[in-house]
């Protein structure tokens, strides 16, 4: 009996009729033909030009940042340093509303980048939280910087003297512990009562947050120093 794949076989029911056996090669060719057809269709997809920034712009947007009472005087003293980069570099409009005590930032016709409004609001928010103008300016110049805030009681529910001692462990004598964490992790930290504000890149914020949480939970500063130095050296070798 011939075992050729393309050969015809006789049906047991009707000896006069023949059926053709399809070869695997034919099926493979058909699949390849279908793939070529799909690639041909993909090539024929239309190519649209990028939309201009003028068409992306909608109505003017505004952001409001509330200013607490204890930050009025620093805001007034540093207003020129805050006003200049927002207006000249980001092409936005900014004013301080004396009635509502808010810094209002608004887009205008000269605004080119859509993300400028978010950068400016983050910059003003960082200054209001207590960061220096020079440190907060990094939020405008660099894209990979973030601002994170959390409460000491979120880590551990402390009250009274226990809460005061936890804040003291974070600051250290004369701010030594806080400065050491800032220098090792390359971040900026602000302690405002029970609030902790950290400014830096994502990875650096993570290292600083871990060190501060360990201090809140009661770890001695010397142990925390060693841990963050090991983590910082590993991350430096990785990059």
């Amino acid at each position: 009996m011939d075992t050729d794949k393309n050969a015809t076989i006789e049906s047991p029911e009707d000896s006069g009729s023949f059926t053709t056996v399809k070869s695997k090669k034919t099926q493979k060719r058909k699949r390849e033909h279908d793939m070529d057809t799909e690639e041909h269709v993909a090539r024929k997809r239309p190519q649209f030009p990028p939309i201009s920034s003028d068409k992306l712009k909608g109505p003017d947007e505004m952001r409001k940042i509330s200013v607490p009472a204890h930050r009025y005087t620093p805001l007034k003293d540093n207003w020129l340093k805050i006003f200049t980069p927002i207006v000249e570099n980001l092409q936005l409009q900014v004013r301080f509303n004396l009635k509502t005590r808010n810094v209002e930032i608004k887009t205008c016709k000269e605004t080119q980048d859509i993300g400028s409004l978010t950068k400016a609001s983050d910059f003003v928010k960082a200054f209001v939280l207590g960061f220096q103008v020079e440190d907060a300016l990094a939020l405008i110049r660099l894209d990979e910087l973030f601002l994170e805030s959390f409460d000491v009681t979120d880590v551990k529910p402390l009250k009274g003297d226990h809460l005061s001692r936890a804040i003291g462990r974070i600051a250290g004598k004369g701010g030594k512990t806080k400065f050491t964490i800032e220098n090792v992790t390359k971040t900026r930290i602000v302690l405002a009562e029970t609030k902790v504000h950290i400014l830096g890149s994502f990875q650096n914020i993570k290292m600083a947050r871990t060190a501060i949480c360990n201090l809140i939970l009661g770890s001695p500063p010397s142990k925390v120093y060693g841990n963050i130095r090991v983590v910082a050296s590993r991350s430096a070798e990785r990059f």
Side-chain angles (χ1 to χ4, degrees), residues 36-199:
D36 293 340
T37 307
E38 290 176 0
E39 291 178 0
H40 186 64
V41 171
R43 288 196 204 102
K44 282 191 172 182
R45 287 176 183 170
Q47 298 291 331
F48 296 106
I51 300 175
S52 61
S53 59
D54 297 334
K55 293 182 180 179
L56 285 173
K57 290 178 183 176
D60 291 340
E61 296 183 12
M62 181 185 287
R63 299 280 177 89
K64 296 180 181 180
I65 300 98
S66 59
V67 182
H70 69 280
R71 297 297 293 173
Y72 292 160
T73 304
L75 183 70
K76 183 180 178 181
D77 295 339
N78 296 280
W79 180 250
L80 192 62
K81 295 179 181 178
I82 296 169
F83 172 86
T84 305
I86 293 175
V87 175
E88 293 185 358
N89 298 342
L90 300 178
Q91 284 85 36
L92 296 169
Q93 295 177 349
V94 60
R95 71 172 184 177
F96 180 62
N97 194 327
L98 293 171
K99 292 182 179 180
T100 59
R101 299 291 184 180
N102 291 333
V103 175
E104 298 177 354
I105 305 170
K106 185 181 177 182
T107 58
C108 58
K109 294 180 180 179
E110 287 77 17
T111 307
Q112 297 177 355
D113 189 5
I114 300 172
S116 298
L117 191 63
T118 304
K119 286 184 177 181
S121 61
D122 289 342
F123 164 57
V124 176
K125 185 181 177 183
F127 177 78
V128 167
L129 289 175
F131 292 96
Q132 297 291 328
V133 180
E134 292 77 12
D135 297 333
L137 268 174
L139 288 165
I140 293 178
R141 294 173 180 168
L142 303 175
D143 293 330
E144 297 179 355
L145 287 185
F146 304 95
L147 190 63
E148 184 171 330
S149 302
F150 65 93
D151 201 298
V152 174
T153 55
D154 293 340
V155 182
K156 190 176 182 180
L158 301 170
K159 293 180 182 179
D161 293 339
H162 298 288
L163 181 59
S164 301
R165 281 193 290 269
I167 297 169
R169 281 196 299 273
I170 298 170
K173 186 177 180 180
K176 180 183 176 183
T177 305
K178 183 175 79 75
F179 294 145
T180 304
I181 296 173
E182 285 180 342
N183 292 333
V184 175
T185 59
K186 297 177 183 177
T187 56
R188 287 291 179 268
I189 300 168
V190 168
L191 294 173
E193 295 182 354
T194 60
K195 294 282 186 182
V196 180
H197 309 292
I198 308 173
L199 174 66

Side-chain angles (χ1 to χ4, degrees), residues 16-27:
S17 63
F18 295 94
T19 58
T20 305
V21 178
K22 293 182 179 180
S23 67
K24 293 182 179 179
K25 291 181 179 178
T26 308
Q27 295 175 0

